[in-house]
Amino acid sequence: MGRTSAMILVMGSFRLPAANFDKALPMMAKVIAATRAEDGCILYAYSRDVADPEVIRVSEKWRDRAALDAHFKTAHMAAWAQERAELGLSDRDIRIFETDEGIPV
C-alpha cells in the first residue's frame, strides 16, 4: 500500500450583518466558484444559519495542507478579505483539522 496524505477539513463561522447579506451574496458566490476551481479543493461552501440568519457557516475539504496553503495565497482570497472587511464581517472563527482519513499519493 502506498503513502497517504492527510485530508484537511476547515470548519467555522462568521457573522454578517443582515442588512449586508444581499450585497454579500455575489461576492460570496464569486469566491466560492473561484475556490472550487482550485487544485486540491474537494468542498468549499458557505451556508446561512437557520436559527441565526446573521451567522454564515463555513465548510471546506482539501486534498492536503499544501492545497490549503496555496488557497490562502490566491488573488480571489485577497479580494475577498478586502470585501468582507467592507461588509462588516465579525466574530470570524475558522478552525483547521487534519483528518485521519488519508488520500493515496
Side-chain angles (χ1 to χ4, degrees):
M1 185 176 242
R3 194 170 60 95
T4 61
S5 174
M7 188 181 308
I8 303 297
L9 300 178
V10 179
M11 304 295 292
S13 63
F14 57 84
R15 186 165 291 279
L16 174 66
N20 291 343
F21 187 77
D22 287 343
K23 181 179 178 182
L25 276 175
M27 296 173 189
M28 291 189 292
K30 185 171 126 183
V31 77
I32 289 167
T35 300
R36 287 179 177 175
E38 289 180 47
D39 180 47
C41 180
I42 299 165
L43 169 73
Y44 191 87
Y46 293 165
S47 58
R48 199 171 192 185
D49 190 300
V50 173
D52 185 346
E54 289 195 344
V55 172
I56 306 298
R57 303 282 174 198
V58 177
S59 304
E60 304 176 31
K61 187 186 281 190
W62 294 89
R63 179 187 59 225
D64 53 30
R65 185 59 195 233
L68 178 61
D69 290 345
H71 163 69
F72 292 136
K73 297 174 184 172
T74 61
H76 57 268
M77 284 306 291
W80 174 230
Q82 172 117 18
E83 291 167 344
R84 66 183 187 229
E86 295 167 7
L87 291 167
L89 266 71
S90 64
D91 300 333
R92 192 166 168 264
D93 182 18
I94 308 293
R95 307 294 170 122
I96 300 171
F97 303 93
E98 185 175 295
T99 71
D100 59 358
E101 178 185 341
I103 298 176
V105 292

